[in-house]
Amino acid sequence: MSGDEVNPAAVAKPVEDAQGDDRWMSQHIRFVQECKDAEPDVLFVGDSMIQLMKQYEVWRELFSPLHALNFGIGGDNTCNVLWRLQNGELDNIRPKVVVLWVGTNNHQHTAEQVAGGVHAIAQLLTSRLPKAKIVVLGLLPRGERPNPLREKNAAVNEILCDSLPRLGRAQLLDVSREFVHSDGAISPQDMFDFLHLTPTGYRKLSKPLSDLLLQILEEKPGERRAPLV
């Protein structure tokens, strides 16, 4: 992608109300309202992978005690998350850490475009929240066996691993290798539909994430013990 080309994965867009029930916008408005009442130390934002995390015990055990908000909406891509953050979901809150997980739903975009979209969101977060650290979760492999979408997600992670540290306060946490067996298969015990995580799958993800968040939250101003990946 040339420097003059607009990245379609970094263009902020709300979700079109195709079903006519206005569910997506209603969720967004609820999040904006939560910003007026809450004082989170950690903000989670992204697609269904973030949204569903709140349904499992690991959320109550590891993340809720960190004064965390969950702004996940199923089906979101980078364009939708970018729009939400530009339109009220960062108002009135000053989290110390933002966990961003989005990109696997960007089916119409190339790996380079998806990585650029994620990078644009991280850049917005560092601009709007100048004291916050940004943790971007790497895209997980998907599908029971190796397939082109797995290759694409792996390429996105590789690009982000190189680009995010340039923002200064952003880093990638990639645990994708934990989910692929030696024969290349993904277990339904980890992903019930070979995309979304089971309680066991969330455990695999949440332990390293929790450890990193605790390390960041314990840092003193000007100190960085959490290494950039």
Side-chain angles (χ1 to χ4, degrees):
M1 208 163 48
S2 71
D4 297 331
E5 209 174 326
V6 175
N7 178 4
V11 177
K13 291 181 181 179
V15 169
E16 182 182 350
D17 184 27
Q19 285 75 39
D21 58 9
D22 213 25
R23 282 191 312 114
W24 185 87
M25 187 60 70
S26 297
Q27 291 177 89
H28 166 65
I29 292 171
R30 176 166 58 86
F31 293 156
V32 173
Q33 185 60 43
E34 284 189 52
C35 290
K36 298 177 181 178
D37 305 322
E39 295 181 0
D41 284 335
V42 184
L43 173 65
F44 286 73
V45 64
D47 54 31
S48 61
M49 306 298 283
I50 289 289
Q51 183 181 37
L52 293 174
M53 186 184 293
K54 198 173 181 180
Q55 309 304 315
Y56 294 109
E57 184 61 32
V58 289
W59 179 266
R60 293 182 287 277
E61 179 185 327
L62 298 178
F63 302 123
S64 186
L66 301 181
H67 305 286
L69 279 181
N70 186 308
F71 286 178
I73 299 182
D76 267 13
N77 61 29
T78 55
C79 303
N80 310 140
V81 170
L82 191 59
W83 188 92
R84 291 200 278 127
L85 295 178
Q86 289 178 351
N87 287 274
E89 291 188 16
L90 295 179
D91 293 355
N92 306 307
I93 57 173
R94 291 295 178 266
K96 297 175 182 175
V97 190
V98 180
V99 178
L100 173 65
W101 202 7
V102 70
T104 198
N105 294 322
N106 285 69
H107 305 299
Q108 70 273 40
H109 301 134
T110 67
E112 184 182 21
Q113 288 170 341
V114 177
V118 175
H119 188 93
I121 298 170
Q123 199 163 24
L124 172 69
L125 289 166
T126 58
S127 173
R128 291 285 302 275
L129 303 170
K131 295 184 179 180
K133 302 288 179 66
I134 315 302
V135 176
V136 176
L137 291 176
L139 301 184
L140 294 184
R142 48 187 295 163
E144 184 178 12
R145 298 285 174 181
N147 61 80
L149 284 179
R150 277 203 206 177
E151 296 173 9
K152 175 181 169 182
N153 283 4
V156 171
N157 292 345
E158 187 174 341
I159 296 169
L160 289 173
C161 184
D162 179 60
S163 69
L164 286 174
R166 300 174 195 167
L167 295 177
R169 288 177 288 108
Q171 63 189 104
L172 180 73
L173 178 62
D174 181 8
V175 297
S176 56
R177 293 180 182 176
E178 299 294 323
F179 292 90
V180 181
H181 294 188
S182 57
D183 63 353
I186 287 175
S187 170
Q189 293 182 341
D190 290 332
M191 298 182 185
F192 59 84
D193 60 354
F194 306 108
L195 171 62
H196 296 98
L197 296 173
T198 64
T200 302
Y202 271 114
R203 283 279 171 195
K204 285 188 176 181
L205 168 85
S206 296
K207 180 60 167 64
L209 175 58
S210 173
D211 289 346
L212 178 58
L213 292 179
L214 288 172
Q215 193 173 17
I216 292 173
L217 290 170
E218 289 173 359
E219 289 180 356
K220 297 176 183 178
E223 179 187 15
R224 175 183 287 154
R225 290 197 300 271
L228 292 180
V229 179

